[in-house]
Amino acid sequence: MSETNSARNRFVWMDIPVADLQRAIAFYREVGGMGVHYEHHEGFEFAVLDHVDEGNGACLVVDPGAISSAHGPLVYLNVAGRIRDAVKRVAPLGGKVTQDVHSIGPYGFRALIIDCEGNRLALHSPTDE
């Protein structure tokens, strides 16, 4: 992660727990509309979600015991300009939409979902598209 990322963002990284890494990679690629890259280092496997130098980063880590859709932080996944398309992809990829696209006032629009691994997420876009 870059120095700019650490200096400007309240959250600089997220580990998203998963039970099935390959299934989660497919889910985040399709719903998030981003690259997701498998990594394997010293017996530890994970996947990194693409991010730009000044953006926040995240990875998918195999840790089934940490999955919780009822508790913990709510992570907002950026789907700017394609929120309705992203929501349509959730169920076919094994997730569930728990609250459809809705306004969050001057902060844009979000939809609440459970990902294919059982984690609660918000999909976010500044527009209702």
Side-chain angles (χ1 to χ4, degrees):
M1 96 192 52
S2 73
E3 287 182 30
T4 301
N5 181 288
S6 297
R8 295 186 182 169
N9 295 301
R10 296 284 182 214
F11 300 97
V12 296
W13 194 265
M14 290 161 275
D15 284 348
I16 301 170
V18 304
D20 182 323
L21 186 57
Q22 294 304 317
R23 177 180 61 203
I25 288 170
F27 183 92
Y28 280 85
R29 256 189 205 139
E30 293 296 316
V31 173
M34 69 184 84
V36 181
H37 304 281
Y38 175 81
E39 300 280 340
H40 184 268
H41 299 281
E42 300 177 13
F44 180 67
E45 64 176 353
F46 58 98
V48 178
L49 282 62
D50 280 357
H51 57 284
V52 295
D53 288 339
E54 294 184 25
N56 291 329
C59 67
L60 307 172
V61 295
V62 179
D63 187 359
I67 296 169
S68 174
S69 60
H71 307 289
L74 179 60
V75 176
Y76 281 64
L77 185 63
N78 181 5
V79 294
R82 53 180 294 282
I83 194 167
R84 298 221 175 254
D85 178 60
V87 167
K88 287 179 190 174
R89 293 174 184 263
V90 170
L93 290 164
K96 178 181 176 185
V97 177
T98 59
Q99 192 172 22
D100 205 4
V101 178
H102 60 280
S103 172
I104 51 175
Y107 306 105
F109 295 83
R110 76 175 187 179
L112 300 179
I113 69 167
I114 305 298
D115 74 3
C116 63
E117 300 301 300
N119 295 297
R120 176 180 68 132
L121 297 171
L123 302 179
H124 179 265
S125 176
T127 62
D128 184 17
E129 298 177 47

